[in-house]
Amino acid sequence: MQARSRVRAPTAARAVSSIGARAREDRVIARALRLLERRILSQGACLGDVATCSAFFRMRLGGEGREHLEVAFLDTRHRLLAVERLFSGSIDGAEVHPRIVVQRALALNAAAVLLAHNHPSGHAEPSEADRVLTTRLKAALGLVDIRLLDHFVVTAGEATSMAARGLI
């Protein structure tokens, strides 16, 4: 009986230790993202190329277990004004309201936006729903002269630019 308890205790301790290590790593990653965002904002970084945007959004969304939509609000020179997570959903979808995106863009005086959302499934191919949403958001933003530059679908391992595919 004692032999069993000795075998189980180290396994349970390792599991608890592993959970604690994961939580510490998550805190470090969150802090690094805040520092990166602050640095980008302070330097007036330009989010003008697909590779930079892909990496930026993959770091922010790639490891998420639920679907989220984030919007990067840009000035006329495509410098980052703010990036915000506007919508969160379940493992395979999030309800997005174009009016909220337009309201935030107007409040921040943005001239352009970049959209990004993650696919927790690990498949970065834009779905038909993604294409429809992009069309709706582009039309809504266009009514107030705000350009939709791109919409990225990201996973932990890759990102797909809808603009690069000619879908915007």
CSV table of all heavy atoms in Angstrom, one decimal, residues 72-138:
chain,number,residue,atom,x,y,z
A,72,ALA,N,-6.4,46.0,-35.4
A,72,ALA,CA,-5.3,47.0,-35.3
A,72,ALA,C,-5.8,48.2,-36.0
A,72,ALA,O,-6.2,48.2,-37.2
A,72,ALA,CB,-4.1,46.4,-35.9
A,73,PHE,N,-5.9,49.3,-35.2
A,73,PHE,CA,-6.3,50.6,-35.8
A,73,PHE,C,-5.1,51.4,-36.2
A,73,PHE,O,-4.1,51.6,-35.4
A,73,PHE,CB,-7.1,51.3,-34.7
A,73,PHE,CG,-8.3,50.6,-34.3
A,73,PHE,CD1,-8.3,49.8,-33.1
A,73,PHE,CD2,-9.5,50.6,-35.0
A,73,PHE,CE1,-9.4,49.1,-32.8
A,73,PHE,CE2,-10.6,49.9,-34.6
A,73,PHE,CZ,-10.6,49.1,-33.5
A,74,LEU,N,-5.1,51.9,-37.4
A,74,LEU,CA,-3.9,52.6,-38.0
A,74,LEU,C,-4.2,54.0,-38.4
A,74,LEU,O,-5.3,54.3,-38.7
A,74,LEU,CB,-3.4,51.8,-39.2
A,74,LEU,CG,-3.2,50.3,-39.0
A,74,LEU,CD1,-2.9,49.6,-40.3
A,74,LEU,CD2,-2.1,50.0,-38.0
A,75,ASP,N,-3.1,54.8,-38.4
A,75,ASP,CA,-3.3,56.2,-38.9
A,75,ASP,C,-3.1,56.2,-40.4
A,75,ASP,O,-3.0,55.2,-41.0
A,75,ASP,CB,-2.4,57.2,-38.1
A,75,ASP,CG,-0.9,57.0,-38.4
A,75,ASP,OD1,-0.5,56.2,-39.4
A,75,ASP,OD2,-0.1,57.6,-37.8
A,76,THR,N,-3.0,57.4,-41.0
A,76,THR,CA,-2.9,57.5,-42.4
A,76,THR,C,-1.6,57.0,-43.0
A,76,THR,O,-1.5,56.6,-44.2
A,76,THR,CB,-3.1,59.0,-42.9
A,76,THR,OG1,-2.1,59.8,-42.2
A,76,THR,CG2,-4.4,59.5,-42.5
A,77,ARG,N,-0.6,56.9,-42.1
A,77,ARG,CA,0.7,56.3,-42.6
A,77,ARG,C,0.9,54.9,-42.1
A,77,ARG,O,2.0,54.3,-42.1
A,77,ARG,CB,1.8,57.2,-42.0
A,77,ARG,CG,1.7,58.6,-42.6
A,77,ARG,CD,2.6,59.5,-41.8
A,77,ARG,NE,3.9,59.7,-42.5
A,77,ARG,CZ,4.9,60.3,-41.9
A,77,ARG,NH1,4.9,60.7,-40.7
A,77,ARG,NH2,6.0,60.4,-42.6
A,78,HIS,N,-0.2,54.3,-41.7
A,78,HIS,CA,-0.3,52.9,-41.3
A,78,HIS,C,0.5,52.6,-40.0
A,78,HIS,O,1.0,51.5,-39.8
A,78,HIS,CB,0.1,51.9,-42.4
A,78,HIS,CG,-0.9,52.0,-43.6
A,78,HIS,ND1,-0.6,51.5,-44.8
A,78,HIS,CD2,-2.1,52.7,-43.7
A,78,HIS,CE1,-1.6,51.8,-45.6
A,78,HIS,NE2,-2.5,52.5,-45.0
A,79,ARG,N,0.7,53.6,-39.2
A,79,ARG,CA,1.3,53.4,-37.9
A,79,ARG,C,0.2,53.0,-36.9
A,79,ARG,O,-0.9,53.4,-37.0
A,79,ARG,CB,2.0,54.7,-37.4
A,79,ARG,CG,3.2,55.1,-38.3
A,79,ARG,CD,3.7,56.4,-37.8
A,79,ARG,NE,2.7,57.4,-38.0
A,79,ARG,CZ,2.9,58.7,-38.0
A,79,ARG,NH1,4.2,59.2,-37.9
A,79,ARG,NH2,2.0,59.6,-38.1
A,80,LEU,N,0.6,52.1,-36.0
A,80,LEU,CA,-0.4,51.5,-35.0
A,80,LEU,C,-0.8,52.6,-34.0
A,80,LEU,O,0.0,53.2,-33.3
A,80,LEU,CB,0.3,50.4,-34.3
A,80,LEU,CG,-0.6,49.6,-33.4
A,80,LEU,CD1,-1.7,48.9,-34.2
A,80,LEU,CD2,0.2,48.5,-32.7
A,81,LEU,N,-2.1,52.8,-34.0
A,81,LEU,CA,-2.7,53.6,-32.9
A,81,LEU,C,-3.1,52.8,-31.7
A,81,LEU,O,-2.9,53.2,-30.6
A,81,LEU,CB,-4.0,54.3,-33.5
A,81,LEU,CG,-3.8,55.3,-34.7
A,81,LEU,CD1,-5.2,55.7,-35.2
A,81,LEU,CD2,-3.0,56.5,-34.2
A,82,ALA,N,-3.7,51.6,-32.0
A,82,ALA,CA,-4.1,50.7,-30.9
A,82,ALA,C,-4.4,49.4,-31.5
A,82,ALA,O,-4.7,49.3,-32.7
A,82,ALA,CB,-5.4,51.3,-30.2
A,83,VAL,N,-4.4,48.4,-30.7
A,83,VAL,CA,-4.9,47.1,-31.1
A,83,VAL,C,-5.8,46.6,-30.0
A,83,VAL,O,-5.4,46.7,-28.8
A,83,VAL,CB,-3.7,46.1,-31.4
A,83,VAL,CG1,-2.8,45.8,-30.2
A,83,VAL,CG2,-4.3,44.8,-31.9
A,84,GLU,N,-6.9,46.1,-30.3
A,84,GLU,CA,-7.9,45.7,-29.3
A,84,GLU,C,-8.6,44.4,-29.7
A,84,GLU,O,-8.9,44.1,-30.9
A,84,GLU,CB,-9.0,46.7,-29.2
A,84,GLU,CG,-8.5,48.1,-28.7
A,84,GLU,CD,-9.6,49.1,-28.6
A,84,GLU,OE1,-10.8,48.8,-28.8
A,84,GLU,OE2,-9.2,50.3,-28.3
A,85,ARG,N,-8.8,43.6,-28.7
A,85,ARG,CA,-9.6,42.3,-28.9
A,85,ARG,C,-11.1,42.7,-28.7
A,85,ARG,O,-11.5,43.0,-27.6
A,85,ARG,CB,-9.2,41.3,-27.8
A,85,ARG,CG,-9.9,40.0,-28.0
A,85,ARG,CD,-9.3,38.9,-27.1
A,85,ARG,NE,-8.0,38.6,-27.6
A,85,ARG,CZ,-7.2,37.7,-27.0
A,85,ARG,NH1,-7.6,37.0,-25.9
A,85,ARG,NH2,-6.0,37.4,-27.5
A,86,LEU,N,-11.8,42.8,-29.8
A,86,LEU,CA,-13.2,43.3,-29.7
A,86,LEU,C,-14.2,42.1,-29.5
A,86,LEU,O,-15.3,42.4,-29.0
A,86,LEU,CB,-13.5,44.0,-31.0
A,86,LEU,CG,-12.8,45.3,-31.2
A,86,LEU,CD1,-13.3,46.1,-32.4
A,86,LEU,CD2,-12.9,46.2,-30.0
A,87,PHE,N,-13.9,40.9,-29.9
A,87,PHE,CA,-14.9,39.9,-29.8
A,87,PHE,C,-14.2,38.6,-29.5
A,87,PHE,O,-13.1,38.3,-29.9
A,87,PHE,CB,-15.6,39.7,-31.2
A,87,PHE,CG,-16.3,40.9,-31.6
A,87,PHE,CD1,-15.7,41.7,-32.6
A,87,PHE,CD2,-17.6,41.3,-31.1
A,87,PHE,CE1,-16.3,42.9,-33.0
A,87,PHE,CE2,-18.2,42.4,-31.5
A,87,PHE,CZ,-17.6,43.2,-32.5
A,88,SER,N,-14.9,37.8,-28.6
A,88,SER,CA,-14.4,36.4,-28.3
A,88,SER,C,-15.6,35.5,-28.4
A,88,SER,O,-16.7,35.9,-28.2
A,88,SER,CB,-13.9,36.4,-26.8
A,88,SER,OG,-12.8,37.2,-26.7
A,89,GLY,N,-15.3,34.2,-28.7
A,89,GLY,CA,-16.3,33.3,-29.0
A,89,GLY,C,-16.0,31.9,-28.4
A,89,GLY,O,-15.4,31.8,-27.3
A,90,SER,N,-16.3,30.9,-29.1
A,90,SER,CA,-16.1,29.5,-28.7
A,90,SER,C,-14.9,28.9,-29.4
A,90,SER,O,-14.2,29.7,-30.0
A,90,SER,CB,-17.4,28.7,-28.9
A,90,SER,OG,-17.7,28.6,-30.3
A,91,ILE,N,-14.9,27.6,-29.5
A,91,ILE,CA,-13.7,27.0,-30.1
A,91,ILE,C,-13.8,27.1,-31.7
A,91,ILE,O,-12.8,26.8,-32.4
A,91,ILE,CB,-13.6,25.5,-29.7
A,91,ILE,CG1,-14.9,24.7,-30.1
A,91,ILE,CG2,-13.2,25.4,-28.3
A,91,ILE,CD1,-14.7,23.2,-29.9
A,92,ASP,N,-15.0,27.4,-32.2
A,92,ASP,CA,-15.1,27.4,-33.7
A,92,ASP,C,-15.9,28.6,-34.2
A,92,ASP,O,-16.3,28.6,-35.3
A,92,ASP,CB,-15.8,26.1,-34.1
A,92,ASP,CG,-17.2,26.0,-33.7
A,92,ASP,OD1,-17.6,26.7,-32.8
A,92,ASP,OD2,-17.9,25.0,-34.2
A,93,GLY,N,-16.0,29.7,-33.4
A,93,GLY,CA,-16.7,30.9,-34.0
A,93,GLY,C,-16.8,32.0,-32.9
A,93,GLY,O,-16.7,31.7,-31.7
A,94,ALA,N,-17.0,33.2,-33.4
A,94,ALA,CA,-17.2,34.3,-32.6
A,94,ALA,C,-18.2,35.2,-33.3
A,94,ALA,O,-18.0,35.4,-34.5
A,94,ALA,CB,-15.9,35.1,-32.3
A,95,GLU,N,-19.2,35.8,-32.6
A,95,GLU,CA,-20.1,36.7,-33.2
A,95,GLU,C,-19.5,38.1,-33.3
A,95,GLU,O,-19.0,38.6,-32.3
A,95,GLU,CB,-21.4,36.7,-32.4
A,95,GLU,CG,-22.5,37.5,-33.1
A,95,GLU,CD,-23.8,37.4,-32.4
A,95,GLU,OE1,-24.0,36.5,-31.6
A,95,GLU,OE2,-24.7,38.2,-32.7
A,96,VAL,N,-19.4,38.7,-34.5
A,96,VAL,CA,-18.8,39.9,-34.7
A,96,VAL,C,-19.8,40.9,-35.2
A,96,VAL,O,-20.6,40.6,-36.1
A,96,VAL,CB,-17.7,39.8,-35.8
A,96,VAL,CG1,-17.1,41.2,-36.1
A,96,VAL,CG2,-16.6,38.8,-35.3
A,97,HIS,N,-19.8,42.1,-34.6
A,97,HIS,CA,-20.8,43.2,-35.0
A,97,HIS,C,-20.0,44.3,-35.7
A,97,HIS,O,-19.2,45.0,-35.0
A,97,HIS,CB,-21.5,43.7,-33.7
A,97,HIS,CG,-22.3,42.6,-33.0
A,97,HIS,ND1,-23.5,42.2,-33.4
A,97,HIS,CD2,-21.9,41.9,-31.9
A,97,HIS,CE1,-23.9,41.3,-32.6
A,97,HIS,NE2,-23.0,41.1,-31.7
A,98,PRO,N,-20.3,44.5,-37.0
A,98,PRO,CA,-19.5,45.6,-37.7
A,98,PRO,C,-19.7,47.0,-37.0
A,98,PRO,O,-18.7,47.7,-37.0
A,98,PRO,CB,-20.2,45.6,-39.1
A,98,PRO,CG,-20.6,44.1,-39.2
A,98,PRO,CD,-21.1,43.7,-37.9
A,99,ARG,N,-20.8,47.3,-36.4
A,99,ARG,CA,-21.0,48.6,-35.8
A,99,ARG,C,-20.0,48.9,-34.7
A,99,ARG,O,-19.5,50.0,-34.5
A,99,ARG,CB,-22.4,48.8,-35.4
A,99,ARG,CG,-22.8,47.9,-34.2
A,99,ARG,CD,-24.3,48.1,-33.7
A,99,ARG,NE,-24.4,49.4,-33.1
A,99,ARG,CZ,-25.4,50.2,-33.3
A,99,ARG,NH1,-26.3,50.0,-34.2
A,99,ARG,NH2,-25.4,51.4,-32.6
A,100,ILE,N,-19.6,47.8,-34.0
A,100,ILE,CA,-18.6,48.0,-32.9
A,100,ILE,C,-17.3,48.3,-33.5
A,100,ILE,O,-16.6,49.2,-33.0
A,100,ILE,CB,-18.6,46.7,-32.0
A,100,ILE,CG1,-19.9,46.4,-31.4
A,100,ILE,CG2,-17.5,46.9,-30.9
A,100,ILE,CD1,-20.5,47.4,-30.5
A,101,VAL,N,-16.9,47.6,-34.5
A,101,VAL,CA,-15.6,47.9,-35.2
A,101,VAL,C,-15.6,49.3,-35.7
A,101,VAL,O,-14.6,50.1,-35.5
A,101,VAL,CB,-15.3,46.9,-36.3
A,101,VAL,CG1,-14.0,47.2,-37.0
A,101,VAL,CG2,-15.3,45.5,-35.8
A,102,VAL,N,-16.6,49.8,-36.3
A,102,VAL,CA,-16.7,51.1,-36.9
A,102,VAL,C,-16.7,52.1,-35.8
A,102,VAL,O,-16.0,53.1,-35.8
A,102,VAL,CB,-18.0,51.3,-37.8
A,102,VAL,CG1,-18.2,52.8,-38.2
A,102,VAL,CG2,-17.9,50.4,-39.0
A,103,GLN,N,-17.4,51.9,-34.7
A,103,GLN,CA,-17.4,52.8,-33.5
A,103,GLN,C,-16.0,53.0,-33.0
A,103,GLN,O,-15.6,54.1,-32.7
A,103,GLN,CB,-18.4,52.3,-32.4
A,103,GLN,CG,-19.8,52.5,-32.7
A,103,GLN,CD,-20.7,51.8,-31.7
A,103,GLN,OE1,-20.2,51.0,-30.9
A,103,GLN,NE2,-22.0,52.2,-31.6
A,104,ARG,N,-15.3,51.9,-32.8
A,104,ARG,CA,-13.9,52.0,-32.2
A,104,ARG,C,-13.0,52.7,-33.2
A,104,ARG,O,-12.2,53.5,-32.7
A,104,ARG,CB,-13.4,50.6,-31.8
A,104,ARG,CG,-14.0,50.0,-30.6
A,104,ARG,CD,-13.9,50.8,-29.4
A,104,ARG,NE,-12.5,51.1,-29.0
A,104,ARG,CZ,-12.1,52.2,-28.4
A,104,ARG,NH1,-12.9,53.2,-28.1
A,104,ARG,NH2,-10.8,52.3,-28.1
A,105,ALA,N,-13.1,52.4,-34.4
A,105,ALA,CA,-12.3,53.1,-35.4
A,105,ALA,C,-12.5,54.6,-35.4
A,105,ALA,O,-11.5,55.4,-35.5
A,105,ALA,CB,-12.5,52.5,-36.8
A,106,LEU,N,-13.7,55.0,-35.4
A,106,LEU,CA,-14.1,56.4,-35.3
A,106,LEU,C,-13.6,57.1,-34.0
A,106,LEU,O,-13.0,58.2,-34.0
A,106,LEU,CB,-15.6,56.6,-35.5
A,106,LEU,CG,-16.1,56.4,-36.9
A,106,LEU,CD1,-17.6,56.4,-36.9
A,106,LEU,CD2,-15.5,57.3,-37.9
A,107,ALA,N,-13.7,56.4,-32.9
A,107,ALA,CA,-13.3,56.9,-31.6
A,107,ALA,C,-11.8,57.1,-31.6
A,107,ALA,O,-11.3,58.0,-31.0
A,107,ALA,CB,-13.7,56.0,-30.5
A,108,LEU,N,-11.1,56.2,-32.3
A,108,LEU,CA,-9.6,56.3,-32.3
A,108,LEU,C,-9.1,57.2,-33.5
A,108,LEU,O,-7.9,57.3,-33.6
A,108,LEU,CB,-9.0,54.9,-32.4
A,108,LEU,CG,-9.2,54.1,-31.1
A,108,LEU,CD1,-8.9,52.6,-31.4
A,108,LEU,CD2,-8.3,54.6,-30.0
A,109,ASN,N,-10.0,57.7,-34.3
A,109,ASN,CA,-9.7,58.5,-35.5
A,109,ASN,C,-8.8,57.7,-36.4
A,109,ASN,O,-7.8,58.2,-37.0
A,109,ASN,CB,-9.0,59.8,-35.1
A,109,ASN,CG,-9.1,60.8,-36.2
A,109,ASN,OD1,-10.0,60.8,-37.0
A,109,ASN,ND2,-8.2,61.7,-36.2
A,110,ALA,N,-9.1,56.4,-36.6
A,110,ALA,CA,-8.3,55.5,-37.5
A,110,ALA,C,-8.6,55.8,-38.9
A,110,ALA,O,-9.7,56.1,-39.3
A,110,ALA,CB,-8.6,54.1,-37.1
A,111,ALA,N,-7.6,55.7,-39.8
A,111,ALA,CA,-7.7,55.8,-41.2
A,111,ALA,C,-7.8,54.5,-41.9
A,111,ALA,O,-8.4,54.4,-43.0
A,111,ALA,CB,-6.6,56.6,-41.8
A,112,ALA,N,-7.3,53.5,-41.2
A,112,ALA,CA,-7.3,52.1,-41.7
A,112,ALA,C,-7.3,51.1,-40.6
A,112,ALA,O,-7.0,51.4,-39.5
A,112,ALA,CB,-6.1,51.9,-42.6
A,113,VAL,N,-7.7,49.9,-40.9
A,113,VAL,CA,-7.7,48.8,-39.9
A,113,VAL,C,-7.1,47.5,-40.5
A,113,VAL,O,-7.2,47.3,-41.7
A,113,VAL,CB,-9.1,48.5,-39.3
A,113,VAL,CG1,-9.6,49.7,-38.6
A,113,VAL,CG2,-10.0,48.0,-40.3
A,114,LEU,N,-6.6,46.7,-39.6
A,114,LEU,CA,-6.2,45.3,-39.9
A,114,LEU,C,-7.0,44.4,-39.0
A,114,LEU,O,-7.2,44.7,-37.8
A,114,LEU,CB,-4.8,45.1,-39.7
A,114,LEU,CG,-3.7,45.8,-40.5
A,114,LEU,CD1,-2.4,45.7,-39.9
A,114,LEU,CD2,-3.7,45.3,-41.9
A,115,LEU,N,-7.6,43.4,-39.5
A,115,LEU,CA,-8.4,42.4,-38.7
A,115,LEU,C,-7.5,41.2,-38.6
A,115,LEU,O,-6.8,40.8,-39.5
A,115,LEU,CB,-9.7,42.1,-39.4
A,115,LEU,CG,-10.6,43.2,-39.8
A,115,LEU,CD1,-11.8,42.6,-40.6
A,115,LEU,CD2,-11.1,43.9,-38.6
A,116,ALA,N,-7.8,40.5,-37.5
A,116,ALA,CA,-7.1,39.2,-37.3
A,116,ALA,C,-8.0,38.3,-36.4
A,116,ALA,O,-8.6,38.9,-35.4
A,116,ALA,CB,-5.7,39.3,-36.7
A,117,HIS,N,-8.2,37.1,-36.7
A,117,HIS,CA,-8.8,36.2,-35.8
A,117,HIS,C,-8.1,34.8,-35.9
A,117,HIS,O,-7.4,34.5,-36.9
A,117,HIS,CB,-10.3,36.1,-36.1
A,117,HIS,CG,-10.7,35.2,-37.2
A,117,HIS,ND1,-10.6,35.6,-38.5
A,117,HIS,CD2,-11.1,33.9,-37.3
A,117,HIS,CE1,-11.0,34.6,-39.3
A,117,HIS,NE2,-11.3,33.6,-38.6
A,118,ASN,N,-8.2,34.1,-34.8
A,118,ASN,CA,-7.5,32.8,-34.8
A,118,ASN,C,-8.5,31.6,-35.1
A,118,ASN,O,-9.7,31.8,-34.9
A,118,ASN,CB,-6.9,32.6,-33.4
A,118,ASN,CG,-7.9,32.5,-32.3
A,118,ASN,OD1,-8.8,33.4,-32.2
A,118,ASN,ND2,-7.8,31.6,-31.4
A,119,HIS,N,-7.9,30.6,-35.5
A,119,HIS,CA,-8.6,29.3,-35.7
A,119,HIS,C,-8.0,28.3,-34.7
A,119,HIS,O,-6.9,27.8,-35.0
A,119,HIS,CB,-8.5,28.8,-37.1
A,119,HIS,CG,-9.5,29.4,-38.1
A,119,HIS,ND1,-9.5,29.1,-39.4
A,119,HIS,CD2,-10.4,30.4,-37.9
A,119,HIS,CE1,-10.4,29.8,-40.0
A,119,HIS,NE2,-11.0,30.6,-39.1
A,120,PRO,N,-8.6,28.0,-33.6
A,120,PRO,CA,-8.1,27.1,-32.6
A,120,PRO,C,-7.9,25.7,-33.2
A,120,PRO,O,-7.1,24.9,-32.6
A,120,PRO,CB,-9.1,27.1,-31.5
A,120,PRO,CG,-9.8,28.4,-31.6
A,120,PRO,CD,-9.8,28.7,-33.0
A,121,SER,N,-8.5,25.4,-34.3
A,121,SER,CA,-8.4,24.1,-34.9
A,121,SER,C,-7.0,23.8,-35.5
A,121,SER,O,-6.6,22.7,-35.7
A,121,SER,CB,-9.4,23.9,-36.0
A,121,SER,OG,-9.1,24.8,-37.1
A,122,GLY,N,-6.3,24.9,-35.7
A,122,GLY,CA,-4.9,24.8,-36.2
A,122,GLY,C,-4.9,24.9,-37.8
A,122,GLY,O,-3.9,24.8,-38.4
A,123,HIS,N,-6.1,25.2,-38.4
A,123,HIS,CA,-6.2,25.3,-39.8
A,123,HIS,C,-6.4,26.7,-40.2
A,123,HIS,O,-7.4,27.3,-39.9
A,123,HIS,CB,-7.3,24.4,-40.3
A,123,HIS,CG,-7.5,24.2,-41.8
A,123,HIS,ND1,-6.5,23.6,-42.5
A,123,HIS,CD2,-8.4,24.7,-42.6
A,123,HIS,CE1,-6.9,23.7,-43.8
A,123,HIS,NE2,-8.1,24.3,-43.9
A,124,ALA,N,-5.4,27.3,-40.9
A,124,ALA,CA,-5.5,28.8,-41.2
A,124,ALA,C,-6.2,29.2,-42.5
A,124,ALA,O,-6.1,30.3,-42.9
A,124,ALA,CB,-4.0,29.3,-41.2
A,125,GLU,N,-6.9,28.2,-43.0
A,125,GLU,CA,-7.6,28.5,-44.3
A,125,GLU,C,-8.8,29.3,-44.0
A,125,GLU,O,-9.6,28.9,-43.1
A,125,GLU,CB,-8.0,27.2,-45.0
A,125,GLU,CG,-8.5,27.4,-46.4
A,125,GLU,CD,-7.5,28.0,-47.3
A,125,GLU,OE1,-6.3,27.7,-47.2
A,125,GLU,OE2,-8.0,28.7,-48.3
A,126,PRO,N,-9.0,30.5,-44.6
A,126,PRO,CA,-10.3,31.3,-44.4
A,126,PRO,C,-11.5,30.5,-44.8
A,126,PRO,O,-11.6,29.9,-45.9
A,126,PRO,CB,-10.1,32.5,-45.3
A,126,PRO,CG,-8.6,32.6,-45.6
A,126,PRO,CD,-8.2,31.2,-45.6
A,127,SER,N,-12.5,30.5,-43.9
A,127,SER,CA,-13.8,29.9,-44.2
A,127,SER,C,-14.7,30.8,-45.0
A,127,SER,O,-14.4,32.0,-45.2
A,127,SER,CB,-14.5,29.5,-42.9
A,127,SER,OG,-14.9,30.6,-42.2
A,128,GLU,N,-15.8,30.3,-45.5
A,128,GLU,CA,-16.8,31.1,-46.2
A,128,GLU,C,-17.3,32.1,-45.3
A,128,GLU,O,-17.5,33.3,-45.6
A,128,GLU,CB,-17.9,30.2,-46.8
A,128,GLU,CG,-18.9,31.0,-47.6
A,128,GLU,CD,-18.3,31.7,-48.8
A,128,GLU,OE1,-17.4,31.2,-49.3
A,128,GLU,OE2,-18.9,32.8,-49.1
A,129,ALA,N,-17.5,31.8,-44.0
A,129,ALA,CA,-18.0,32.8,-43.0
A,129,ALA,C,-17.0,33.9,-42.8
A,129,ALA,O,-17.3,35.1,-42.7
A,129,ALA,CB,-18.3,32.1,-41.7
A,130,ASP,N,-15.7,33.5,-42.9
A,130,ASP,CA,-14.6,34.6,-42.8
A,130,ASP,C,-14.7,35.5,-44.0
A,130,ASP,O,-14.5,36.7,-43.8
A,130,ASP,CB,-13.2,33.9,-42.7
A,130,ASP,CG,-13.0,33.0,-41.5
A,130,ASP,OD1,-13.7,33.2,-40.5
A,130,ASP,OD2,-12.1,32.2,-41.6
A,131,ARG,N,-14.9,35.0,-45.1
A,131,ARG,CA,-15.0,35.8,-46.3
A,131,ARG,C,-16.2,36.8,-46.3
A,131,ARG,O,-16.1,37.9,-46.6
A,131,ARG,CB,-15.1,34.9,-47.6
A,131,ARG,CG,-13.8,34.2,-47.9
A,131,ARG,CD,-13.9,33.4,-49.2
A,131,ARG,NE,-12.8,32.6,-49.3
A,131,ARG,CZ,-12.7,31.2,-49.1
A,131,ARG,NH1,-13.9,30.6,-48.8
A,131,ARG,NH2,-11.6,30.6,-49.3
A,132,VAL,N,-17.4,36.2,-45.8
A,132,VAL,CA,-18.6,37.0,-45.7
A,132,VAL,C,-18.4,38.1,-44.7
A,132,VAL,O,-18.7,39.3,-44.9
A,132,VAL,CB,-19.8,36.2,-45.4
A,132,VAL,CG1,-21.0,37.0,-45.0
A,132,VAL,CG2,-20.1,35.2,-46.5
A,133,LEU,N,-17.8,37.8,-43.6
A,133,LEU,CA,-17.5,38.8,-42.5
A,133,LEU,C,-16.6,39.9,-43.0
A,133,LEU,O,-16.9,41.1,-42.8
A,133,LEU,CB,-16.9,38.1,-41.3
A,133,LEU,CG,-16.5,39.1,-40.2
A,133,LEU,CD1,-17.6,39.9,-39.6
A,133,LEU,CD2,-15.7,38.4,-39.1
A,134,THR,N,-15.6,39.5,-43.7
A,134,THR,CA,-14.6,40.5,-44.3
A,134,THR,C,-15.3,41.5,-45.2
A,134,THR,O,-15.1,42.7,-45.2
A,134,THR,CB,-13.5,39.8,-45.0
A,134,THR,OG1,-12.9,38.9,-44.1
A,134,THR,CG2,-12.5,40.8,-45.5
A,135,THR,N,-16.2,40.9,-46.1
A,135,THR,CA,-16.9,41.8,-47.0
A,135,THR,C,-17.8,42.7,-46.3
A,135,THR,O,-17.9,43.9,-46.6
A,135,THR,CB,-17.8,40.9,-48.0
A,135,THR,OG1,-16.8,40.0,-48.7
A,135,THR,CG2,-18.5,41.7,-49.0
A,136,ARG,N,-18.5,42.3,-45.3
A,136,ARG,CA,-19.4,43.1,-44.5
A,136,ARG,C,-18.7,44.2,-43.8
A,136,ARG,O,-19.1,45.4,-43.7
A,136,ARG,CB,-20.2,42.3,-43.4
A,136,ARG,CG,-21.3,41.4,-44.1
A,136,ARG,CD,-22.1,40.7,-43.0
A,136,ARG,NE,-22.8,41.6,-42.2
A,136,ARG,CZ,-23.0,41.4,-40.9
A,136,ARG,NH1,-22.6,40.3,-40.3
A,136,ARG,NH2,-23.7,42.3,-40.1
A,137,LEU,N,-17.5,43.9,-43.2
A,137,LEU,CA,-16.7,44.8,-42.4
A,137,LEU,C,-16.1,45.9,-43.4
A,137,LEU,O,-16.1,47.1,-43.1
A,137,LEU,CB,-15.6,44.2,-41.6
A,137,LEU,CG,-16.1,43.5,-40.3
A,137,LEU,CD1,-15.1,42.6,-39.8
A,137,LEU,CD2,-16.6,44.5,-39.3
A,138,LYS,N,-15.7,45.4,-44.5
A,138,LYS,CA,-15.1,46.4,-45.5
A,138,LYS,C,-16.1,47.4,-46.0
A,138,LYS,O,-15.9,48.6,-46.0
A,138,LYS,CB,-14.5,45.6,-46.7
A,138,LYS,CG,-13.9,46.5,-47.7
A,138,LYS,CD,-13.3,45.7,-48.9
A,138,LYS,CE,-12.7,46.7,-49.9
A,138,LYS,NZ,-12.1,46.0,-51.0
